[in-house]
Amino acid sequence: MPQPSPRSALPLAVGLFLAVVTGLVLPIQGRINGALSVVLNDGIAASVVSFTTGLAVIAVISMATPKGRNGLRSIVPAVRNRSFPRFYVMAGGVGAFFVFAQSYTVGLLGVAVFTVASVTGQTLSGLLVDRLGIAPGGKRAVTGLRVLGSGLTVAAVAWAVSPHFGASTDVGMMVLPVLLPLLAGFLMSFQQAMNGTATVHYGTPLATTVVNFLAGAVVLWIAWLIKALIAGTGNPLPAEWWYYLGGPLGCIAIGLAALLVRSLGVLITGLGMIAGQLLGSLMLDVVIPTSGTVVALPTVLGTLLTLAAIIVATLPWPKGAFARRGASKGR
């Protein structure tokens, strides 16, 4: 069984590009799942459909490829031998919780506040997870540039979504609801780290994605059944095929993220995906606008600032560079 190595050989520039591409997928997935939620009149049902179709697609791909079949066969031995903590198999539950937080709080907070809260949580936990060394790439120091890049990212996201903030927002009423997306975002970095570690032991992100979608689907099916018993079901499933693309797009995002955390670490992977989300959202709003779409100057400038924040966070800075420079001046 493969063992974790300190770092993979994926170049930083390539890894960052893939992280941004991974982030580009998420707004498209969100737009599809949001439209499905409206058609079904049930946000949890839309999430169930997304996770179930994603599970079906990734299971078929895994069983149809030799590497995928080997990965599936390695799941039970890896868990039985405690190659990693067993609760890592429930990493998909974090994705289900994120979807639940999204469906429950977006109506109360709005998309803008939800985005800022979740990005803030994810950025803070990215620093923590890298420092603890939970991801397969090992520990990564919390440098001044990484902290600066993280702070710039949160500020940039807030600036980019600021045109969506309502003028009549009651801040006091938002304090408790905003804790849910903050926690959901905070847990996302841990999910990425757990998936990265599991991928090393399974030998392929295909198996990791299967386990994620299985865990998430189970959690969401239970939640939907409880909701159906209490409040009834929503509308019937639509016939249009594109409503069912959210799950397959999620497969791409989870699989790529599981690969990238080994090379980039959790923080930089997360920042790259955040930049991709903003770019993807901006492109969707320009090309396929929806009712209430706002594309203002702060949206564009905030997106560009997010890209700058990633560059700051990934800049190599020699240890003791300032000390050497100061010492040379004193001679």
Side-chain angles (χ1 to χ4, degrees), residues 236-253:
L237 293 173
E240 292 84 355
W241 59 272
W242 62 269
Y243 281 113
Y244 304 95
L245 292 180
L249 290 174
C251 294
I252 296 172

Side-chain angles (χ1 to χ4, degrees), residues 143 145 315-330:
T143 63
L145 284 177
L315 279 176
W317 201 266
K319 209 173 192 180
F322 290 110
R324 288 196 300 271
R325 193 174 298 172
S328 64
K329 284 183 179 180

Side-chain angles (χ1 to χ4, degrees), residues 37 40-50 99-100 103-104 219-228:
S37 176
L40 296 178
N41 193 29
D42 188 338
I44 298 179
S47 303
V48 168
V49 171
S50 180
V99 169
F100 167 76
S103 62
Y104 180 74
V219 170
L220 287 169
W221 268 106
I222 293 172
W224 181 80
L225 288 172
I226 294 172
K227 179 260 177 190

